[in-house]
Amino acid sequence: MNRRIDPDGTIVILTGAGISRESGLDTFRCKDGIWSKVDLEDVATPEAFVRNPKMVQDFYNARRAQLVDEKPQPNPGHLALAKLEKNWPGRVLIVTQNIDNLHELAGNENIIHMHGELMKVRCNHCKTLLIWEKGLHIDTACPDCHSTGSLRPHIVWFGEIPLQMEDIYEALEDADLFISIGTSGNVYPAAGFVQAVKQIGDCHSVELNLDPSNGATLFDETIYGPASEVVPEFVDTLLSDIKNQT
Ligand code: APR
């Protein structure tokens, strides 16, 4: 497989729930996944938040409490990406669909959370963005503007526009290597990134996943297995390739 990437090349990495699975966090669409237990229409849309804000807040409070109380740790898949960002001479950007904090805990710094972050909330009234580790309730007052009922999880719900899309497409334009890890390719625009890099051309695309995603056939290269195994192996080949080139 022709995968010679220049050492000063740009690597864009899309991650999904699968990379956090071995850290103990559920995926959405695998067997017993989150959406098999709760209807996304009840907890992950703006309409749900208007209809039943308490149900939505409780859903995210439970997932936030899991991060805060159980303190899931990055697994070798996350740690390998931190090693790549540290040792790759060119730019490495993680675009994650995940709302957990495991890429940060692993040590990556160049991260875009396109679907938001569980440990942040924002105020619909004064637009402030706050780090938030406790529960959020419908009568919780905004610490900045003191209005109540205006705080919401800093999460992109279905039907809302993902965050930093301009920055993401700019990076995809520049990418020499696009790696997709632990995502089923069900949700756009993330599921369309591989198509985008193919149209831009001159970018090698790789899928590292437990099973073939919906977009598997679009990738130049596919490697299947648990992220904690296939990601470190892939990163090591990338870094040894450039050692041989320099
Ligand atoms: N290692 C690698 N991949 C794994 C592992 C693992 N240990 N376990 C599961 N996977 C793969 C599955 O094969 C599947 O393709 O991770 C993927 C998880 O898919 P989804 O549950 O659909 O998660 P994701 O693709 O991240 O969902 C995208 O949908 O509900 C929205 O906003 C939510 O960000 C989420 C988006």
Side-chain angles (χ1 to χ4, degrees):
M1 179 61 64
N2 168 26
R3 190 210 298 152
R4 283 183 63 78
I5 315 289
D6 285 344
D8 58 359
T10 292
I11 303 177
V12 177
I13 304 162
L14 172 67
T15 62
I19 198 170
S20 297
R21 183 74 199 81
E22 291 162 272
S23 296
L25 297 179
D26 285 341
T27 63
F28 293 93
R29 296 172 184 84
C30 298
K31 187 173 162 305
D32 301 332
I34 293 171
W35 297 144
S36 72
K37 297 169 188 150
V38 62
D39 183 344
L40 68 85
E41 295 294 342
D42 291 339
V43 293
T45 69
E47 296 76 12
F49 192 55
V50 171
R51 187 171 57 241
N52 189 341
K54 182 180 182 317
M55 180 184 269
V56 173
Q57 299 288 23
D58 289 350
F59 173 69
Y60 289 101
N61 287 343
R63 295 177 66 198
R64 190 179 307 110
Q66 185 185 17
L67 285 192
V68 173
D69 302 341
E70 294 174 20
K71 295 189 176 29
Q73 291 304 302
N75 64 58
H78 297 102
L79 296 171
L81 297 184
K83 179 177 160 188
L84 182 61
E85 180 177 326
K86 187 163 174 281
N87 294 288
W88 185 260
R91 180 184 179 198
V92 174
L93 171 67
I94 291 184
V95 178
T96 187
Q97 301 171 91
N98 299 341
I99 58 178
D100 64 50
N101 56 354
L102 295 179
H103 285 307
E104 286 82 355
L105 289 177
N108 280 91
E109 295 176 2
N110 207 2
I111 304 168
I112 292 178
H113 280 274
M114 63 182 291
H115 289 168
E117 296 175 70
L118 204 43
M119 307 298 265
K120 289 181 181 168
V121 301
R122 65 176 191 259
C123 178
N124 275 333
H125 184 252
C126 69
K127 308 301 175 206
T128 192
L129 183 61
L130 303 161
I131 305 284
W132 201 270
E133 299 200 348
K134 46 195 189 240
L136 185 57
H137 307 286
I138 52 174
D139 56 358
T140 305
C142 170
D144 287 8
C145 70
H146 311 300
S147 59
T148 52
S150 59
L151 289 174
R152 62 165 279 180
H154 181 55
I155 302 290
V156 177
W157 288 323
F158 287 94
E160 295 184 322
I161 299 171
L163 306 172
Q164 296 184 251
M165 287 310 296
E166 254 182 62
D167 297 333
I168 294 170
Y169 281 114
E170 210 176 278
L172 292 174
E173 295 254 337
D174 190 33
D176 300 283
L177 175 61
F178 173 69
I179 312 171
S180 176
I181 304 173
T183 181
S184 62
N186 264 291
V187 175
Y188 285 80
F193 290 169
V194 59
Q195 192 79 23
V197 294
K198 279 178 87 71
Q199 275 154 9
I200 294 160
D202 211 14
C203 172
H204 186 73
S205 57
V206 186
E207 170 167 271
L208 306 178
N209 213 48
L210 193 60
D211 316 296
S213 72
N214 287 354
T217 56
L218 296 169
F219 287 86
D220 298 319
E221 193 178 354
T222 55
I223 302 171
Y224 296 115
S228 64
E229 289 171 23
V230 298
V231 179
E233 280 164 20
F234 188 78
V235 166
D236 287 347
T237 54
L238 271 183
L239 293 176
S240 63
D241 285 353
I242 58 164
K243 209 181 284 170
N244 301 337
Q245 284 179 44
T246 45

